[in-house]
Amino acid sequence: RFAADENRAKRWHETGWFASVLDMMFSGFSDYGQSIWRPAAGLVGLTALATVLYRTVTEWGCWADAISLAAGNAVAFLPQSRDVRTDAVDALFGPDPGTWIDLAILSQAGMSFVFLFLIGLGLRNRFRL
């Protein structure tokens, strides 16, 4: 906790602008790896936001497909999620979803990976593994 307070104190004085913004995000999303709940809430919120986005953008499709796509992107590293995501994209957007949907899917998968990493970091720090 002392190291986290030191990092907060030197944030805008000793580090550059970009590093300070990254440090501020690390502090806000995970309290320097001390919180499990903050990144878990971020992951749940991101998945819910992505579900609403995927369902709103499509003209056809159902909420179940949007939930499947968002949940499959949240755990994109699991092999089983690949088929789920492929089926959900086909059901929601057809064979060619478009560039914006591809970017949304990739962005959600990347941010979900970061939140999962922060959850793991919080668990590691909590149990001193």
Side-chain angles (χ1 to χ4, degrees), residues 45-104:
L46 176 66
T47 305
L49 181 68
T51 300
V52 171
L53 173 76
Y54 298 144
R55 177 58 183 97
T56 305
V57 178
T58 186
E59 295 175 7
W60 62 88
C62 63
W63 283 101
D65 291 328
I67 292 169
S68 295
L69 179 57
N73 285 334
V75 289
F77 55 88
L78 294 177
Q80 296 84 359
S81 70
R82 183 177 187 181
D83 293 333
V84 171
R85 286 178 295 162
T86 303
D87 294 342
V89 167
D90 288 342
L92 287 170
F93 307 109
D96 184 27
T99 306
W100 291 108
I101 298 300
D102 289 340
L103 287 174

Side-chain angles (χ1 to χ4, degrees), residues 1-9 11 23 27 31-32 34:
R1 292 183 182 172
F2 181 71
D5 289 337
E6 281 183 336
N7 287 339
R8 281 187 201 97
R11 181 178 293 153
D23 184 66
S27 174
D31 195 23
Y32 290 100
Q34 297 176 13

Side-chain angles (χ1 to χ4, degrees), residues 7-28 32:
N7 287 339
R8 281 187 201 97
K10 69 178 183 177
R11 181 178 293 153
W12 299 106
H13 303 289
E14 296 179 20
T15 57
W17 180 84
F18 185 71
S20 295
V21 169
L22 287 176
D23 184 66
M24 188 170 62
M25 289 171 54
F26 184 51
S27 174
Y32 290 100

Side-chain angles (χ1 to χ4, degrees), residues 8 24-36 38-39 115 118-119 121-122 125:
R8 281 187 201 97
M24 188 170 62
M25 289 171 54
F26 184 51
S27 174
F29 284 123
S30 70
D31 195 23
Y32 290 100
Q34 297 176 13
S35 175
I36 299 168
R38 285 185 193 180
F115 282 128
L118 292 175
I119 290 169
L121 182 65
N125 287 340

